[in-house]
Amino acid sequence: MIGTPVGDFDYETKGQGYASQRRPDPRIAALIHTALGDARTVLNVGAGAGSYEPTDRYVVALEPSARMRGQRPATAVPALNAAAESIPFDDNAFDAVMATVTVHQWADTARGLAELRRVARGPVVVLTFDGAALDRFWLAEYAPELIAVERRRYPVISTIAEAIGTEVSVIEVPIPVDCVDGFTEAYYARPERLLDPAVRAAQSAWGFVDEAATARAVERLRGDLDSGVWEARHGHLRAQPTFNGSLRLIVGQP
């Protein structure tokens, strides 16, 4: 059953393919799970299709999109229909709270972050992107409209940090060359993948770029790949094991 869209992106009609295209990368998962510390009870807010949820702890998941809840694997806990801005649990109800690649989609970021902190006894762990670093990625040359809209969507890193703890660390997460989580920067060394509409469909950023701009970006990239221009400018990335782009892990202690 399709529900009412929640947040800035309509996952009810455009949220297809996330379970297959946005699989958790084990190296990124290891960083997240380490940040959770020794927490035994974990709340995952904006849980989507279940990426990065630990399997060795008691997890409760919240996800407002029916389509995304429906893509959760049978091995994952069922997600409750609830949004970050109004978490239906008491203060300090969980050892830790996590929110992965979701804060930029909330209707009220400040309220959502305050709720994360309210229900966590220990760390609040947020995986997000730094809008100020988005232009490190070569896609900025091909889709400047996408970079511009993404920069507006992502909360400032310091704003998140101030909201989730008094002792906060911000970690620049290296993106592996064979990253299996299909966000845009995951393909820094595999540009051909961004020509695939199914890949782009599982990246919400493209939903904010009009069809004409998307078509221009795709055709220019295709042309530069065919002519060797991309290879001449960025081909060294194919042999680069990691890319330090805009991915950030923010860990706040109470």
Side-chain angles (χ1 to χ4, degrees):
M1 179 178 178
I2 302 299
T4 302
V6 177
D8 74 341
F9 184 73
D10 183 4
Y11 282 98
E12 300 305 328
T13 59
K14 300 176 182 177
Q16 70 276 9
Y18 271 70
S20 58
Q21 299 289 345
R22 300 298 298 274
R23 293 171 291 141
D25 186 88
R27 292 144 295 191
I28 298 173
L31 291 174
I32 294 169
H33 298 169
T34 296
L36 292 171
D38 59 1
R40 299 307 306 164
T41 60
V42 177
L43 177 67
N44 186 14
V45 179
S51 285
Y52 299 112
E53 286 177 4
T55 58
D56 59 345
R57 316 173 195 225
Y58 179 84
V59 174
V60 175
L62 303 183
E63 172 52 53
S65 165
R67 182 179 287 273
M68 296 303 290
R69 292 196 303 272
Q71 294 182 65
R72 294 175 65 82
T75 53
V77 298
L80 303 176
N81 179 9
E85 295 86 349
S86 185
I87 295 176
F89 294 106
D90 293 337
D91 295 359
N92 302 314
F94 295 88
D95 292 336
V97 176
M98 59 185 286
T100 62
V101 195
T102 178
V103 296
H104 59 290
Q105 297 160 348
W106 299 349
D108 187 335
T109 306
R111 182 175 172 182
L113 292 171
E115 282 286 271
L116 300 189
R117 184 67 271 163
R118 179 183 68 80
V119 299
R121 289 189 290 272
V124 171
V125 178
V126 175
L127 184 70
T128 187
F129 294 92
D130 182 357
L134 289 170
D135 55 6
R136 294 183 185 180
F137 184 33
W138 53 258
L139 187 61
E141 301 170 20
Y142 296 89
E145 299 90 347
L146 182 145
I147 300 300
V149 75
E150 285 288 83
R151 186 169 283 128
R152 291 193 296 270
R153 292 177 77 201
Y154 287 111
V156 176
I157 297 298
S158 60
T159 299
I160 299 173
E162 291 169 4
I164 64 171
T166 55
E167 181 182 335
V168 183
S169 48
V170 178
I171 302 164
E172 189 169 287
V173 179
I175 300 166
V177 69
D178 56 350
C179 183
V180 297
D181 187 348
F183 51 89
T184 54
E185 290 179 349
Y187 300 115
Y188 74 87
R190 295 169 289 167
E192 297 83 2
R193 299 289 289 133
L194 289 172
L195 302 178
D196 185 347
V199 168
R200 298 195 306 276
Q203 299 167 342
S204 64
W206 295 99
F208 296 89
V209 179
D210 65 50
E211 292 183 6
T214 297
R216 285 195 302 271
V218 170
E219 288 313 305
R220 184 180 172 197
L221 177 57
R222 190 190 310 276
D224 282 0
L225 286 169
D226 289 344
S227 69
V229 168
W230 187 94
E231 206 71 33
R233 291 177 179 167
H234 308 293
H236 64 279
L237 293 172
R238 294 193 189 273
Q240 186 171 299
T242 61
F243 173 66
N244 289 337
S246 63
L247 190 60
R248 302 289 182 269
L249 186 66
I250 310 171
V251 185
Q253 301 290 346

